[in-house]
């Protein structure tokens, strides 16, 4: 890596527009060099400006967003410049802007979920009022949307956003957080049909204990709980 701006301390590269050798695909000659560099911002002699993005995400996440954002910027320039746009380019603009919009919705709602999760101090990272202020919405609207997400109404692109991460397992099956693993208890009972006496039920325990057969499931459940509380009785 080559530092190109002494005033910028982030990760930097030497930037230039080059032509590639048609056979080796290696840089053949420099076509244009920047007229000015300001950190990640690059100004070119032809009047265009580029911005270097830094990300570690794979092709299906950060790179995809960067590519679709590039299309959106070209669409903005075309509209503001009064350019005529070919049908093919127009379809590309519409498609990528739509995809970018839905991806940003997934990101916004994932940030909402993250903000309401417990921080290391055991409290939610942000209250609903602070979240609503940044989103430009009423706090009750944000709280209602949050509850709908918990009920399973997650954003369309959430699986794309959370793929290959620990968050992918969160807020699924009705929106509940994954339950922590609990070791099996030695004495854990349930009510089952009696094998020896049809139409009767009894409580059985993991340890092998079983209660008397009867017709009342509530009574059998109580017997089971009593066994769990005092297995030696």
């Amino acid at each position: 890596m080559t530092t190109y701006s002494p005033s910028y301390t982030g990760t930097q590269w030497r930037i230039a527009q080059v032509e590639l050798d048609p056979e080796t695909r290696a840089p053949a000659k420099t076509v244009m060099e920047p007229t000015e560099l300001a950190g990640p911002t690059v100004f070119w002699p032809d009047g265009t400006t580029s911005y270097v993005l830094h990300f570690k995400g794979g092709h299906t996440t950060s790179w995809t967003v960067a590519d679709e954002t590039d299309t959106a910027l070209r669409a903005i320039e075309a509209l503001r410049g009064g350019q005529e746009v070919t049908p093919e380019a127009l379809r590309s603009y519409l498609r990528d802007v739509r995809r970018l919009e839905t991806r940003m919705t997934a990101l916004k709602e994932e940030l909402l979920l993250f903000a309401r999760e417990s921080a290391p101090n055991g409290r939610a990272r942000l209250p609903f009022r602070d979240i609503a202020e940044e989103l430009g919405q009423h706090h009750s609207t944000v709280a209602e949307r949050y509850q709908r997400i918990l009920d399973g109404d997650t954003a369309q692109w959430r699986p794309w956003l959370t793929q290959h991460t620990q968050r992918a397992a969160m807020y699924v099956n009705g929106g509940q957080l994954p339950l922590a693993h609990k070791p099996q208890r030695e004495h854990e009972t349930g009510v089952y049909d009696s094998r020896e006496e049809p139409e009767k039920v009894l409580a059985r325990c993991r340890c092998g204990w079983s209660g008397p057969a009867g017709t009342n499931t509530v009574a059998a459940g109580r017997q089971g709980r009593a066994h769990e509380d005092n297995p030696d009785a």
Side-chain angles (χ1 to χ4, degrees):
M1 297 180 185
T2 302
T3 300
Y4 58 75
S5 174
S7 63
Y8 183 68
T9 59
T11 303
Q12 304 177 63
W13 295 266
R14 184 176 180 178
I15 295 178
Q17 293 184 13
V18 299
E19 286 184 356
L20 299 181
D21 184 281
E23 295 183 0
T24 64
R25 306 306 296 171
K29 68 176 182 178
T30 300
V31 177
M32 189 186 306
E33 292 187 348
T35 56
E36 183 181 350
L37 300 165
T41 308
V42 185
F43 301 91
W44 301 93
D46 62 358
T48 60
T49 304
S50 59
Y51 191 91
V52 180
L53 298 175
H54 302 271
F55 53 86
K56 296 181 179 180
H59 179 71
T60 57
T61 51
S62 302
W63 189 276
T64 301
V65 171
D67 189 55
E68 291 170 354
T69 302
D70 179 73
T71 303
L73 288 172
R74 286 189 280 113
I76 290 173
E77 293 301 316
L79 291 172
R80 290 178 56 84
Q83 303 173 15
E84 182 57 40
V85 180
T86 66
E88 182 179 0
L90 185 55
R91 287 195 296 269
S92 175
Y93 292 165
L94 290 169
R95 181 180 62 251
D96 277 11
V97 167
R98 184 259 304 170
R99 289 176 175 174
L100 183 61
E101 181 181 24
T102 53
R103 294 187 206 280
M104 291 301 99
T105 297
L107 177 58
K108 178 183 70 175
E109 296 194 351
E110 200 65 25
L111 289 171
L112 167 60
L113 293 172
F114 184 76
R116 293 302 302 165
E117 292 166 11
S118 297
N121 62 7
R123 298 181 179 180
R125 292 184 174 91
L126 288 176
F128 280 117
R129 290 186 182 276
D130 286 4
I131 300 171
E133 180 180 353
E134 299 305 330
L135 294 180
Q137 297 177 320
H138 193 273
H139 66 88
S140 63
T141 301
V142 175
E144 289 171 2
R145 178 55 190 154
Y146 175 74
Q147 187 57 52
R148 289 200 300 273
I149 296 173
L150 293 185
D151 292 338
D153 183 22
T154 54
Q156 175 186 358
W157 286 90
R158 184 175 190 271
W160 163 85
L161 176 63
T162 62
Q163 60 184 316
H164 311 309
T165 71
Q166 294 181 347
R167 298 192 64 81
M170 301 170 66
Y171 307 101
V172 295
N173 297 326
Q176 297 300 315
L177 289 168
L179 298 176
H181 173 71
K182 295 182 179 179
Q184 289 185 346
R185 294 183 294 163
E186 180 182 0
H187 299 284
E188 187 172 356
T189 63
V191 177
Y192 303 89
D193 292 331
S194 173
R195 298 172 183 172
E196 291 76 18
E197 301 180 64
E199 299 184 1
K200 288 189 176 183
V201 295
L202 75 167
R204 286 204 301 268
C205 181
R206 189 190 305 278
C207 71
W209 171 90
S210 62
T215 57
N216 191 321
T217 58
V218 175
R222 289 174 179 169
Q223 293 165 0
R225 288 191 293 274
H227 170 77
E228 293 179 11
D229 294 338
N230 189 7
D232 299 327

